[in-house]
Amino acid sequence: MTRARAALVLGLLAGGGVAGGCGETSDTGGTRELSLAHFLPADHVLTGDMFTPLGEKLAELSGGKLTVRQFPAGALNSAAPAQYSILRSGVADIALAIPAYTPDLFPKTDLIAYPGICKTAVACTEAMRRARPALEAEYDAKVLGLWANDAAVLLTRERPVRTLEDMSGLKIRVSTRSLIPFIEALGASAVMQPGTVVHQSLTTGVIDGVAISPSGIGTFQLHEPAAYLTTWLPTSGLPFVLLMNRGVYETLSPEERGWIDEAADASLSMAGATAYARAGADGLRMAQEAGVEIIDLPENEIRRFEQAIAPARAAGLDRQVGDMTAADVIRLFGGAP
């Protein structure tokens, strides 16, 4: 164990332990501290725009009786797909999860990435808000926020993608299983990988390209291994969700639950969307300043991409997702099936 990691663990133990969860009462009595876990860097845009404001609002509403303590950078569990599990097991009271990493659990939420629904973080978040009752039913947790980032761009290391033919034979990392049939319809092969490994995979040539929202460029430093960036792919946004352990929420008093509900209103989800929109603009600027060639597909080429995926898109609409079809969920999003 490194000295820094040892210090972190000692700090957690001194603070009352990792598994104590919510309901920890301070020595002064009458206060509760909620643990908020995520796998992102401590300085990630969501910290300043979403997580910290959530804690501040709860403290303000409760007069300091309900507070939030953040555990960033995977302090409680570094695996992004495991965040829902640590929430349900009580390791964390609140956790950030990416539904696309466990699509069998959240097939309806994962569909926000389906081509043709939305392109911007704000538009995708608004679409998820329209479908929120159906999406919330997928979670054995209190849903505090549901939002998305901007649609993916394509970063490649050796081959620029200017035409449909340029996609042929490429091995492309995707962040959601929903995109696999569409990437393959374009002539490439798709590989599911979490964002934390894509820098190394692209650097070493394990993959040829990365399909990712531009907000991920800065987070994972993808401007370093990439030489080319194609600004359009036939995708929509990637979903995110901030969850609270249901048992913890239900053990709170009615007044405390009221504070949670007020702090986690619609503005919390929109804060996540606007944070990712800003981070996406920063990521594109970072890539350009690093000398990555920016490629804007012409309209005629965009139409060719859309025509190539049309059969796969039509076939996927009949897929059953729980008690609904994919087309039913897309209608809830406000998109044309």
Side-chain angles (χ1 to χ4, degrees):
M1 179 181 293
T2 65
R3 183 175 301 174
R5 182 68 175 172
L8 173 61
V9 172
L10 288 174
L12 297 180
L13 293 174
V18 169
C22 179
E24 297 296 331
T25 304
S26 72
D27 292 337
T28 59
T31 64
R32 291 174 183 264
E33 183 181 77
L34 302 171
S35 57
L36 190 162
H38 65 86
F39 53 89
L40 299 169
D43 61 352
H44 191 272
V45 64
L46 290 181
T47 298
D49 285 34
M50 193 176 196
F51 303 148
T52 297
L54 172 64
E56 291 173 345
K57 190 169 183 179
L58 278 176
E60 178 185 355
L61 291 169
S62 67
K65 294 179 181 179
L66 199 58
T67 61
V68 174
R69 182 182 182 187
Q70 295 182 45
F71 292 87
L76 302 189
N77 189 304
S78 61
Q83 301 305 300
Y84 184 59
S85 295
I86 69 169
L87 178 88
R88 292 192 64 199
S89 64
V91 173
D93 301 318
I94 301 171
L96 170 72
I98 299 181
Y101 288 174
T102 49
D104 289 335
L105 294 177
F106 316 114
K108 295 175 184 175
T109 310
D110 188 45
L111 280 172
I112 195 63
Y114 213 75
I117 296 174
C118 52
K119 278 298 181 183
T120 70
V122 170
C124 292
T125 299
E126 290 174 342
M128 294 177 75
R129 177 184 56 78
R130 289 189 287 270
R132 182 160 176 157
L135 305 185
E136 282 189 329
E138 296 192 300
Y139 301 90
D140 184 16
K142 166 69 175 176
V143 177
L144 302 182
L146 278 165
W147 71 100
N149 58 18
D150 293 316
V153 297
L154 178 64
L155 296 112
T156 54
R157 189 169 70 100
E158 294 184 350
R159 184 195 300 178
V161 173
R162 308 180 195 278
T163 67
L164 178 61
E165 287 75 18
D166 294 332
M167 291 288 291
S168 179
L170 292 180
K171 187 180 293 185
I172 304 297
R173 174 267 181 185
V174 297
S175 54
T176 168
R177 191 173 63 188
S178 292
L179 295 187
I180 291 176
F182 306 111
I183 293 297
E184 293 180 345
L186 296 175
S189 58
V191 180
M192 277 280 292
Q193 288 186 346
T196 51
V197 305
V198 295
H199 185 287
Q200 181 179 3
S201 294
L202 190 59
T203 300
T204 58
V206 171
I207 55 176
D208 303 304
V210 179
I212 193 169
S213 171
S215 59
I217 295 172
T219 301
F220 305 116
Q221 300 296 291
L222 296 178
H223 59 290
E224 296 174 347
Y228 308 98
L229 189 157
T230 302
T231 60
W232 186 90
L233 280 177
T235 72
S236 297
L238 180 72
F240 295 81
V241 61
L242 190 67
L243 304 171
M244 184 173 183
N245 180 284
R246 187 183 299 279
V248 169
Y249 179 78
E250 291 176 350
T251 60
L252 295 174
S253 70
E255 184 180 35
E256 289 169 328
R257 290 198 298 270
W259 295 330
I260 293 287
D261 294 345
E262 186 173 348
D265 62 10
S267 66
L268 182 68
S269 297
M270 195 52 65
T274 56
Y276 272 129
R278 190 176 70 256
D282 290 343
L284 291 173
R285 183 169 56 251
M286 184 181 296
Q288 191 167 23
E289 291 174 351
V292 176
E293 182 180 344
I294 308 299
I295 301 167
D296 294 318
L297 296 180
E299 286 299 321
N300 66 312
E301 205 61 41
I302 288 175
R303 285 194 296 272
R304 294 186 68 214
F305 274 62
E306 290 177 333
Q307 290 165 0
I309 69 163
R313 187 179 187 281
L317 294 174
D318 292 331
R319 180 165 61 90
Q320 200 70 26
V321 283
D323 58 345
M324 305 173 72
T325 66
D328 294 332
V329 179
I330 290 171
R331 288 190 190 96
L332 293 180
F333 288 141

